[in-house]
Amino acid sequence: MNGDQRGPYKDKPQAVERLTSIIEGFMALLGRRLPDDVQTRLEQLRAREDSPLGREIYAAMFTNLDMAGALDRPCCQDTGILQFFVRAGTAFPLLDELEDCLKEALIRATLSVPLRPNVVEFFEEKNTGNNTGTRIPWVDWELLPGSEGIRLFAYMAGGGCSLPGFSRVLMPLEGYDGVYRALFDQIVAYGVNACPPLLVGLGLGNSADTAARLSKKALLRFIGTRNPHPRAAEMEERLEKALNKIGIGPGGLSGNHSVMAVHIEQAGRHTATFAMGLSTGCWAHRRGLIEIRKDLSCNILSHGNAVL
Ligand code: SF4
């Protein structure tokens, strides 16, 4: 192997193995431990809950999380379908190998963690058995020009928490009122399926696909942060307050809070369209962010003190 093929590594296959093993370990962490922002918000909501049933639900959640840590097992049986959102440095030396590494890491993690095999192929109607399949793991790419590292978001999209998702293109005259109506109708009808308290991602854009994609990206943002646009930030706060008045509560058994947060992401729209997308995350919102550098050292930004 000459220097060009090897890039900066003395042993490129070993570097690929190291990258795969980092991602496998990251998935194990993601399955068994909630990210710090979600854990903190659940603790805050638990402290504010005064419904006896709601308090019992929070107690069960935290016992469940403690046991997942102690037994080194996933904190929910539904370990979802893996979605990766890669912010890839264009100078990251293993860019060509990255997608294969993600797939291989997922196959390994399915056995080693273990992750429940959830992927069923359309038309064959058969479980693939290893959590991969056509276009799965789903990989969404954004480029970081000139960067030598990657920032990798991983999300375990469970079945229940994916159920309320939808996107729709509204007539412009329906405007924000149309968005609120559709959002509330959907959460009231299906929110309970998604194991509340929910993280609500609202995407606003020009078409069904852009709005849907933005709504999922909204779920990646850490709880406790706000959209930088002041009107969007105000809308997030107002929607949170209003959705909490529905009274779905933890586990859907009534209580003070139905949502952990509402996050909005927006893109410019066509003058003739007003598109919205909705994605929801459940109380066990297993989303993580890891930074991997060119020397294959890494930093987990979502889970403090975590060791892979
Ligand atoms: S909605 Fe979330 S907590 Fe409920 S079963 Fe699905 S993955 Fe688990």
Side-chain angles (χ1 to χ4, degrees), residues 18-40:
R18 166 84 186 129
L19 180 60
T20 307
S21 147
I22 290 171
I23 298 163
E24 180 187 356
F26 185 50
M27 277 188 270
L29 170 70
L30 210 59
R32 75 169 180 269
R33 191 180 134 188
L34 294 186
D36 297 344
D37 62 315
V38 176
Q39 177 87 20
T40 302

Side-chain angles (χ1 to χ4, degrees), residues 76-78 158-161 193-195 282-284 286:
C76 177
Q77 39 76 36
D78 185 356
C161 49
N193 294 104
C195 294
C282 57
W283 74 270
R286 287 147 302 163

Side-chain angles (χ1 to χ4, degrees), residues 240-287:
E240 271 171 36
K241 281 186 192 146
L243 284 168
N244 280 330
K245 291 203 167 111
I246 294 175
I248 295 174
L253 294 169
S254 79
N256 295 344
H257 293 88
S258 304
V259 298
M260 294 191 283
V262 176
H263 289 173
I264 297 172
E265 293 293 325
Q266 75 276 23
R269 65 178 179 86
H270 190 286
T271 182
T273 65
F274 208 101
M276 65 173 293
L278 171 71
S279 292
T280 47
C282 57
W283 74 270
H285 185 56
R286 287 147 302 163
R287 170 266 288 125

Side-chain angles (χ1 to χ4, degrees), residues 208-237:
D209 58 317
T210 55
R213 191 160 176 244
L214 288 169
S215 73
K216 183 54 69 70
K217 284 179 187 266
L219 297 186
L220 304 180
R221 178 150 49 91
F222 289 178
I223 295 172
T225 61
R226 284 285 175 216
N227 187 304
H229 193 294
R231 288 192 186 160
E234 189 197 339
M235 193 188 290
E236 288 178 346
E237 275 181 50

